[in-house]
């Protein structure tokens, strides 16, 4: 009988501790997305990329390049209100064309607003970033190319706060950039466009 009472007491202590931990995590998550709050972290994205270059003589578009890209994006955000956030991001992307003819290394820096509605403790909503994009195309041939130009990212994110001041982020986004293309071997420049669509997952900390 004494052993049974000790076992019941042990189980009660475990249950009380578990409930306390859950309630403390929920209470902490309820403080997410308050005015003046800052969040920092990053996301990992897999995207489908299409790049099309216009011929320098105005003779139309050259054949576009389509590939799959992997992107890492360090991100920071500042909550102006409980639903409006200012977002900054640096995107580092590596793309290799399927047939192995070229690889792309690109860096973009962007900033813009996001509007998120409350779903319990979570947030869901769209965001728009204006960005500047630079890319080095390493062609396995005689010439390397550099592209750069302005663009925009339009996406949607689901942000789920968890215990300990963290946020799990799931998202999808489309990118568009208007580029100038230059080649190492020549002084000529051409215009081009860069589009992509990808899905992402990430983790942020907030304070």
């Amino acid at each position: 009988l004494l052993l049974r009472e000790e076992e019941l007491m042990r189980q009660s202590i475990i249950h009380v501790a578990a409930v306390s931990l859950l309630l403390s995590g929920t209470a902490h998550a309820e403080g997410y997305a308050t005015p003046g709050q800052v969040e920092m972290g990053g996301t990992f994205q897999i995207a489908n990329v299409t790049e099309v270059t216009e011929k320098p003589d105005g003779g139309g578009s050259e054949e576009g390049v389509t590939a799959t890209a992997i992107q890492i994006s360090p991100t920071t955000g500042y909550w102006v209100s409980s639903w409006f956030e200012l977002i900054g991001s640096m995107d580092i992307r590596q793309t290799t064309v399927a047939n192995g003819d070229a690889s792309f290394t690109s860096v973009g820096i962007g900033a813009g607003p996001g509007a998120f509605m409350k779903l319990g403790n979570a947030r869901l909503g769209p965001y728009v970033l204006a960005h500047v994009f630079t890319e080095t195309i390493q062609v396995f041939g005689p010439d390397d190319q550099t592209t750069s130009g302005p663009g925009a990212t339009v996406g949607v994110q689901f942000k789920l706060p968890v215990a300990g001041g963290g946020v799990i982020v799931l998202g999808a986004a489309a990118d568009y950039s208007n580029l100038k293309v230059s080649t190492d071997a020549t002084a000529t420049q051409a215009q081009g466009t860069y589009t992509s669509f990808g899905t992402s997952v990430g983790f942020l900390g907030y304070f």
Side-chain angles (χ1 to χ4, degrees):
L1 182 60
L2 181 60
L3 292 176
R4 180 172 177 79
E5 289 179 351
E6 290 179 352
E7 180 64 23
L8 290 174
M9 182 175 294
R10 186 181 300 111
Q11 291 180 1
S12 298
I13 292 173
I14 292 174
H15 291 161
V16 170
V19 171
S20 299
L21 180 62
L22 179 61
L23 291 176
S24 65
T26 302
H28 190 80
E30 287 178 349
Y32 176 61
T34 58
Q37 195 172 84
V38 175
E39 58 185 14
M40 301 180 68
T43 61
F44 173 82
Q45 182 187 77
I46 297 178
N48 183 61
V49 176
T50 301
E51 187 163 332
V52 178
T53 303
E54 302 291 332
K55 294 181 179 180
D57 58 3
S61 299
E62 295 181 350
E63 183 177 353
V65 174
T66 300
T68 300
I70 295 174
Q71 176 175 298
I72 298 174
S73 301
T75 303
T76 185
Y78 177 80
W79 288 96
V80 178
S81 69
S82 61
W83 62 272
F84 184 78
E85 183 182 23
L86 297 177
I87 303 170
S89 177
M90 181 175 70
D91 304 325
I92 304 169
R93 176 175 289 179
Q94 179 67 35
T95 307
T96 301
V97 179
N99 60 16
D101 287 342
S103 65
F104 304 73
T105 303
S106 61
V107 176
I109 298 176
F116 298 90
M117 65 178 180
K118 185 175 182 180
L119 296 175
N121 291 328
R123 297 295 187 276
L124 174 66
Y127 66 94
V128 179
L129 305 180
H131 64 242
V132 177
F133 177 89
T134 300
E135 178 181 69
T136 300
I137 306 173
Q138 299 169 327
V139 182
F140 303 129
D143 302 328
D144 285 354
Q145 295 179 344
T146 300
T147 63
S148 61
T153 301
V154 179
V156 61
Q157 284 185 335
F158 174 74
K159 299 186 175 187
L160 178 64
V162 295
V167 183
I168 297 172
V169 182
L170 303 176
D175 293 344
Y176 177 86
S177 296
N178 188 17
L179 306 174
K180 287 187 177 180
V181 184
S182 60
T183 304
D184 290 347
T186 65
T188 59
Q189 286 191 340
Q191 296 289 329
T193 59
Y194 182 102
T195 58
S196 71
F197 178 81
T199 56
S200 62
V201 61
F203 187 82
L204 306 172
Y206 64 93
F207 53 90

